[in-house]
Amino acid sequence: MLNALSKAQLPRHVAIIMDGNGRWARKRHLPREAGHVAGVAAVREVVRAAVDLGLENLTLFAFSSENWKRPKTEIGALMALFRAFFRSDMDELVAKGARVRIIGHRGRVAGDIQAMIEDAETRTAGNKGLNLTFAFDYGGQEEITNAARELARAAAEGRLDPETITTELFAARLFTSALPEPDLVIRTSGEHRLSNFLLWQSAYAELLFVETLWPDFGREALTQALHSFAARERRFGALNSDAVA
Ligand code: IPE
Ligand code: IPE
Ligand code: MG
């Protein structure tokens, strides 16, 4: 058993690249879709654990802008699961005080999903509990490019002096403008890459790569990850007090 962590030891924002559903299914001689179904159960467990632990911000990478390259049948199954999750879990999320946001392109997903996303965001807009964000049809490079395009347009139209563009102003144009930067980015399934997730926002995030496949990740794995975060020494480019002569 791990000791309980104090609020001060917890990351303010945990972001997770939920990877390994397909391999989880393959190990069981099941279709990839079965891995995604099991992945949704892991989402449910991790969200419940995050609420119980008092985490402020949890962001889950559910579908990348590059995942459109997958076979149509798999994309269809993922979209169906997204719909089913919102239908079955919204009431619980509302009851738990979670504020739900979806970051991503939006325009490429089906109309009914767009409506569901808007409904989830409006229904939970006043909630003060866990900020639960799903990165869905999300790509970090696309997000940064869009922000750059918006600023360039404003400058071209004379509404913005390019000299006033600061990192803060730029960050305010990203999907995540309402959230603090992630302190901890976890990727499951043993892959050591970001796959276009929160590229700007993760500048000083602690990265944690675990072997666990996403469907096997749950309350205990999250707790372990938080302990591993609590043991990290963050410097943000400066020196810690004991290193200063
Ligand atoms: C993560 O699992 C879910 C999504 C990317 C939507 P994968 O489907 O990538 O599983 P692996 O990496 O093939 O095992
Ligand atoms: C990243 O996983 C995207 C999500 C977890 C939603 P992928 O499985 O798509 O990433 P790559 O292709 O292995 O880099
Ligand atoms: Mg994968």
Side-chain angles (χ1 to χ4, degrees):
M1 270 302 283
L2 292 160
N3 297 327
L5 290 166
S6 72
K7 189 95 182 159
Q9 290 173 299
L10 285 178
R12 276 191 75 196
H13 185 176
V14 177
I16 310 182
I17 303 169
M18 311 186 288
D19 196 16
N21 295 352
R23 279 162 283 167
W24 183 94
R26 204 207 324 216
K27 269 171 59 181
R28 287 164 179 74
H29 309 287
L30 294 169
R32 291 181 57 83
E33 285 72 14
H36 297 315
V37 171
V40 175
V43 167
R44 199 167 282 130
E45 181 174 333
V46 166
V47 170
R48 285 179 184 154
V51 170
D52 296 344
L53 288 159
L55 273 188
E56 287 176 47
N57 299 281
L58 176 67
T59 299
L60 300 173
F61 200 8
F63 192 88
S64 78
S65 51
E66 288 73 36
N67 287 147
W68 294 110
K69 295 178 195 161
R70 294 197 180 189
K72 275 203 165 61
T73 48
E74 180 167 350
I75 294 173
L78 286 165
M79 296 296 153
L81 282 171
F82 193 78
R83 284 188 182 92
F85 176 80
F86 274 82
R87 282 202 199 100
S88 58
D89 286 58
M90 267 313 290
D91 286 348
E92 178 179 338
L93 293 173
V94 170
K96 288 197 145 92
R99 176 157 186 185
V100 177
R101 289 184 177 87
I102 283 75
I103 56 171
H105 186 285
R106 280 195 200 201
R108 289 182 293 237
V109 298
D112 70 303
I113 295 187
Q114 290 180 34
M116 254 178 177
I117 289 174
E118 279 159 31
D119 178 61
E121 291 185 332
T122 356
R123 260 186 92 187
T124 62
N127 285 357
K128 298 278 182 273
L130 173 72
N131 280 313
L132 175 61
T133 304
F134 291 94
F136 190 73
D137 193 9
Y138 172 87
Q141 291 183 336
E142 184 174 69
E143 177 185 40
I144 293 168
T145 308
N146 288 345
R149 188 185 308 108
E150 256 185 62
L151 293 172
R153 189 182 297 125
E157 290 171 358
R159 293 181 279 115
L160 174 76
D161 174 0
E163 296 310 316
T164 63
I165 300 177
T166 58
T167 48
E168 290 77 18
L169 189 92
F170 197 92
R173 302 289 175 126
L174 301 176
F175 295 130
T176 48
S177 56
L179 306 171
E181 291 188 345
D183 303 294
L184 174 63
V185 174
I186 303 170
R187 183 172 188 144
T188 58
S189 87
E191 306 293 355
H192 295 185
R193 55 177 171 265
L194 291 174
S195 300
N196 208 6
F197 187 49
L198 299 179
L199 297 180
W200 168 286
Q201 298 86 340
S202 297
Y204 268 101
E206 293 297 324
L207 307 179
L208 179 67
F209 299 101
V210 298
E211 294 297 319
T212 317
L213 300 172
W214 175 251
D216 294 325
F217 195 92
R219 191 176 287 268
E220 198 184 311
L222 177 67
T223 310
Q224 260 172 32
L226 296 176
H227 275 83
S228 142
F229 173 82
R232 301 272 181 108
E233 186 188 83
R234 305 181 80 192
R235 302 198 191 95
F236 301 98
L239 295 179
N240 285 340
S241 50
D242 62 349
V244 182

